[in-house]
Amino acid sequence: MATGQGWRLGARTRKWYLVGHLVSAAAWFGLDLALGILAVTAMVTDDPAVITTSLHALQFFAVWPMFAASVLTLATGTVLGLSSRYGLVRYWWVVAKLAVNVLMAVLILVALRPGIDAAGNPADLLPPVVVAPSLLLFSYLATVFKPWGRVRRTPAGKTLVRDTA
């Protein structure tokens, strides 16, 4: 249905997009946690077979399933944002979530994928093990608490500034 601010999804369709968004975000978080468990297991063991198995397991599921989950989260979140009063750039918390999602999707391809392929030392995987779940948790908390104010444009309409009102 069209409104003055754009279009709206029907209630049933919106719920299905919301389910898709929640499931893809949860899958992404779960895959990140599994990456952490495997990387930490490889770091703390002295058994070469466990290290090798952990690193091989990472190559099978870490990059492409995580990237797919990030793209699904981005796609469903974009539809939900565009079809709701929150928009994509109306509120700072939505802008922050969008930026985190895009940044992490890019990092999966340009940093994590080569890092896993070249990981001879499991400790090299420690930064993504800490950073990725932290950023995803930040996104979850931003969704719940909706911090900061609305984004407003300057009179020139060119830059975004924080609306403190």
Side-chain angles (χ1 to χ4, degrees), residues 7 12 32 40 58 67 79 84 107 118 121 159 161:
W7 54 275
R12 179 173 284 176
D32 264 333
V40 169
L58 287 175
F67 183 71
V79 170
S84 76
L107 286 176
N121 180 5
T159 60
V161 296

Side-chain angles (χ1 to χ4, degrees), residues 127-138:
V129 165
V130 173
V131 172
S134 299
L135 288 173
L136 290 174
L137 182 59
F138 164 81

